[in-house]
Amino acid sequence: MTVTTRDPLAGASPVIEITGARKTYRTGDIEFEALRGIDCRIFPGEYVAIVGPSGSGKSTLMNILGCLDVLTSGSYILAGEDVSTLDEVALASARNRRIGFVFQQFNLLASLTALGNVELPLIYAGVAPAERRERALAALERVGLGDRWRNHPGQLSGGQQQRVAIARALVTEPAIVLADEPTGNLDSRSTEDVLGMLDDLHGEGRTIVLITHEGDVARRAQTVYNVTDGQFVGAGTEIAK
Ligand code: ADP
Ligand code: MG
């Protein structure tokens, strides 16, 4: 089935274009088709939520979108680059250049300061120390934590830790920010805080793909895709604001 999102920036090319996406896992003789033909186009500046029950294929799709895994068949064009046939090294490079990740568990290194955590993707990208520090500080300021750069994750609240993770996701200027259940480990106040932050980023023109099983969280997005048994059900639903 084909799902075509309306184009918020008429004429713009999609930043994500997935066609006929299938993913089959093999365990011994047993095959399981986790993605069963997904078509999806996401445009620059769009805020998209992908919602579905446990086992529906959300993490599989997230791994594909995030260049952590490849499709069994179908194609994936990310920011104009066909990433469906890349080998592991090239895929890792695409991932580092194009994707900012925000995870449920924050995935911050406890031994590093907030600044050190935000600098990490720039170290991988080979950015020189002075520029690294400047960009990481600017990203922390962007998420309202400019004065907490010396703090280690253990000295920050859950909401603040997730803000550091968002700064880390932004610091490389990625084509998309991919957030997998980013509020799954947060209390309601920190959830509001982090969702407000994602709203702000969307307001600045960032492209956000949010994966969640919570309808309340999904309603913050512009467009919602429902995934069931590895397929999108119905067209992308535009959320009335
Ligand atoms: P969700 O994130 O929506 O809970 P997943 O993408 O993790 O769903 O899983 C979708 C389906 O694929 C599930 O039935 C799961 O058991 C199966 N699956 C996921 N990963 C693997 C794997 N590595 N090997 C075999 N089956 C898998
Ligand atoms: Mg999952």
Side-chain angles (χ1 to χ4, degrees):
M1 133 179 226
T2 301
V3 178
T4 309
T5 309
R6 77 277 169 278
D7 182 348
L9 300 172
S13 315
V15 63
I16 287 175
E17 188 161 23
I18 285 195
T19 312
R22 291 180 177 273
K23 178 70 184 179
T24 305
Y25 291 115
R26 278 187 190 81
T27 317
D29 286 345
I30 302 166
E31 287 196 351
F32 183 83
E33 206 174 28
L35 298 181
R36 300 189 297 142
I38 286 183
D39 299 276
C40 180
R41 299 167 84 205
I42 298 172
F43 289 88
E46 217 181 336
Y47 184 174
V48 169
I50 295 172
V51 199
S54 178
S56 58
K58 298 184 302 296
S59 292
T60 301
L61 186 56
M62 147 105 187
N63 289 343
I64 299 292
L65 292 175
C67 296
L68 293 157
D69 201 356
V70 290
L71 292 168
T72 308
S73 67
S75 75
Y76 177 19
I77 315 285
L78 171 61
E81 181 182 11
D82 186 346
V83 293
S84 15
T85 55
L86 297 182
D87 64 22
E88 271 187 35
V89 174
L91 201 62
S93 161
R95 179 163 70 236
N96 291 339
R97 280 178 292 124
R98 314 268 198 217
I99 318 276
F101 289 98
V102 181
F103 299 98
Q104 179 170 356
Q105 316 283 352
F106 321 140
N107 293 17
L108 299 176
L109 293 184
S111 60
L112 295 180
T113 61
L115 183 70
N117 272 284
V118 177
E119 278 190 276
L120 268 184
L122 298 177
I123 294 178
Y124 298 140
V127 176
E131 184 186 339
R132 223 156 62 201
R133 190 182 162 88
E134 189 180 326
R135 284 172 61 180
L137 278 173
L140 280 169
E141 256 156 45
R142 175 63 201 84
V143 299
L145 289 177
D147 57 342
R148 309 302 297 267
W149 62 271
R150 283 192 193 81
N151 289 136
H152 285 71
Q155 300 168 305
L156 299 170
S157 71
Q160 288 172 328
Q161 289 183 61
Q162 197 58 303
R163 279 176 178 251
V164 173
I166 291 171
R168 181 185 56 188
L170 290 176
V171 76
T172 53
E173 297 291 333
I176 57 168
V177 173
L178 194 50
D180 189 13
E181 303 278 3
T183 60
N185 271 10
L186 298 177
D187 60 29
S188 56
R189 190 164 155 229
S190 298
T191 292
E192 249 335 284
D193 182 45
V194 164
L195 292 177
M197 188 82 249
L198 293 177
D199 288 347
D200 291 349
L201 295 176
H202 172 231
E204 284 176 2
R206 303 268 178 184
T207 310
I208 301 169
V209 180
L210 169 75
I211 295 182
T212 182
H213 68 277
E214 293 176 83
D216 282 355
V217 172
R219 272 189 281 282
R220 305 293 284 252
Q222 242 176 331
T223 315
V224 176
Y225 293 105
N226 289 289
V227 58
T228 303
D229 295 335
Q231 289 184 307
F232 281 171
V233 184
T237 310
E238 224 178 303
I239 304 293
K241 299 282 180 194

